[in-house]
Amino acid sequence: MDEPSLDADAGTPDAATHPIGELGKGLSTLIGDSRAGLVDGPRESSLLNNPVNVLVGSDGSIYVADFDNGAIRVVSPDGNTRTLVRQEGFSRPFGMAFTPAGEFYVQTDHNLSGELKGALWRVSLDTGLATLVRADLGRVRGLASLSDGRLVIADKFAATVRIYDPQEDRIEELAGLAGSPGYADGSGSAARFAEPLDVVVAENDDIYLADSANHRIRKITLAGLVSTVAGNGQRASTDGPALSASFDTPVGLAIDSEGGLYVSEFASGRTRKLSEGLASTVAGSTQGFADDPDPLSGKLHVCEGLDLAPPYLYVADGNGGTDEAFHRVRRLELGQ
């Protein structure tokens, strides 16, 4: 979809006609409903347009990449919403990361000229001004910070994982070979990925990658050594031991304090967990929309970005780039 003009009128939602359920146990809706729009305010009236990613800030606020609005929205844990970034040239945001120093970086698909060559921005949390850091970055989907403030960037179409040093304005290749998608474990350019998407970083700076078209979860060390930690390569959604379990187009990742990984699946409507060598389903049954106190009976449509703020896992649940009526951020209560 094209980005709407900055003076587009999203309209005023009618909360009585389109009620939002209460935030409760299990799987519930934090904000949004079936209508696309750009409306700030309390959760009963806030609207989004294809949210694709979420990131929890140090104060507990949830930052939302509101893709088709070309905006970054900020949502409080009780659902009150405001717009942080929406400016000319800032279009189709996806990857987001906070560095240990608190700097906020955002990737967009478009560069300043509107071409699909990507860009990286530094965003002021005080003013909402997005400042261009790097143009023509590529179609980055995964963005995460290492402990030293360097950024891990996963390029979906180049099929590579790189590291960007903001202090030196330097990009280094870490793993994969540009323009050579495939599947192979190994070191550096000998490794292969197929449409790599989200990345998360563990406390020891090991990197985990959602290798979406390979339907696997990969691990990458800072030395560039790539291994497969979960997924048998089949496009399915089955639980069990990590390497024999299957994933249906994994796209989003979140990591907990014990190293457990949460994985969103683009096509199955499910959210999974990897812990102690096992893959299990924690939410979702089939694609669609249904809040439910039992998260395994609930429905998600297109799960993309994830992030944790225990006891909650937040999920960007948009329309996957279609015209379908799904524009929500969902909340899953963990440990039930």
Side-chain angles (χ1 to χ4, degrees), residues 231-252:
N232 60 16
Q234 297 178 359
R235 184 179 177 180
S237 187
T238 58
D239 294 337
L243 289 173
S244 59
S246 60
F247 293 85
D248 190 343
T249 318
V251 292

Side-chain angles (χ1 to χ4, degrees), residues 178-195:
S180 299
Y183 170 68
D185 288 337
S187 183
S189 61
R192 295 290 186 272
F193 310 109
E195 298 190 5

Side-chain angles (χ1 to χ4, degrees), residues 5-92:
S5 63
L6 292 184
D7 59 355
D9 182 4
T12 302
D14 182 348
T17 305
H18 301 273
I20 187 172
E22 293 184 2
L23 279 170
K25 299 283 187 182
L27 182 65
S28 55
T29 298
L30 177 65
I31 59 167
D33 63 22
S34 61
R35 296 160 299 157
L38 179 63
V39 178
D40 289 338
R43 66 181 291 266
E44 292 80 9
S45 57
S46 297
L47 294 179
L48 305 163
N49 192 353
N50 188 24
V52 294
N53 203 1
V54 291
L55 181 67
V56 179
S58 59
D59 65 350
S61 296
I62 302 97
Y63 291 75
V64 180
D66 196 2
F67 192 77
D68 285 333
N69 276 326
I72 301 297
R73 316 287 293 281
V74 185
V75 186
S76 67
D78 63 1
N80 193 68
T81 303
R82 63 184 175 90
T83 298
L84 176 66
V85 185
R86 197 167 189 253
Q87 66 187 52
E88 293 289 351
F90 185 93
S91 177
R92 293 169 50 136

Side-chain angles (χ1 to χ4, degrees), residues 197 211-213 215 235-236 247-252 264-267 303:
L197 293 178
D211 195 7
S212 68
H215 311 290
R235 184 179 177 180
F247 293 85
D248 190 343
T249 318
V251 292
S264 62
E265 295 181 333
F266 188 82
C303 314

Side-chain angles (χ1 to χ4, degrees), residues 49-278:
N49 192 353
N50 188 24
V52 294
N53 203 1
V54 291
L55 181 67
V56 179
S58 59
D59 65 350
S61 296
I62 302 97
Y63 291 75
V64 180
D66 196 2
F67 192 77
D68 285 333
N69 276 326
I72 301 297
R73 316 287 293 281
V74 185
V75 186
S76 67
D78 63 1
N80 193 68
T81 303
R82 63 184 175 90
T83 298
L84 176 66
V85 185
R86 197 167 189 253
Q87 66 187 52
E88 293 289 351
F90 185 93
S91 177
R92 293 169 50 136
F94 206 109
M96 299 185 292
F98 283 108
T99 68
E103 293 185 310
F104 183 36
Y105 289 90
V106 179
Q107 165 271 338
T108 59
D109 278 359
H110 287 146
N111 60 17
L112 280 173
S113 63
E115 297 173 291
L116 283 170
K117 294 183 177 180
L120 182 67
W121 309 75
R122 184 184 296 111
V123 174
S124 168
L125 298 179
D126 295 325
T127 66
L129 177 66
T131 301
L132 183 67
V133 173
R134 186 90 180 203
D136 300 340
L137 186 69
R139 296 289 293 280
V140 173
R141 282 293 183 263
L143 192 66
S145 178
L146 295 168
S147 60
D148 61 6
R150 291 181 298 160
L151 299 174
V152 181
I153 53 179
D155 190 316
K156 175 181 178 181
F157 294 118
T160 61
V161 176
R162 295 171 285 163
I163 293 180
Y164 174 65
D165 185 339
Q167 300 301 318
E168 301 291 335
D169 189 29
R170 184 178 67 246
I171 291 180
E172 299 176 358
E173 301 295 331
L174 180 63
L177 184 63
S180 299
Y183 170 68
D185 288 337
S187 183
S189 61
R192 295 290 186 272
F193 310 109
E195 298 190 5
L197 293 178
D198 203 8
V199 287
V200 292
V201 176
E203 288 186 358
N204 65 352
D205 276 341
D206 281 344
I207 299 158
Y208 292 91
L209 168 74
D211 195 7
S212 68
N214 280 322
H215 311 290
R216 292 175 166 101
I217 308 302
R218 317 288 292 280
K219 175 183 164 183
I220 312 168
T221 70
L222 286 183
L225 183 62
V226 178
S227 58
T228 299
V229 296
N232 60 16
Q234 297 178 359
R235 184 179 177 180
S237 187
T238 58
D239 294 337
L243 289 173
S244 59
S246 60
F247 293 85
D248 190 343
T249 318
V251 292
L253 295 176
I255 190 167
D256 65 23
S257 60
E258 298 178 348
L261 290 173
Y262 291 87
V263 184
S264 62
E265 295 181 333
F266 188 82
S268 73
R270 292 175 176 163
T271 299
R272 318 282 295 286
K273 185 179 182 182
L274 286 170
S275 179
E276 298 181 347
L278 293 174

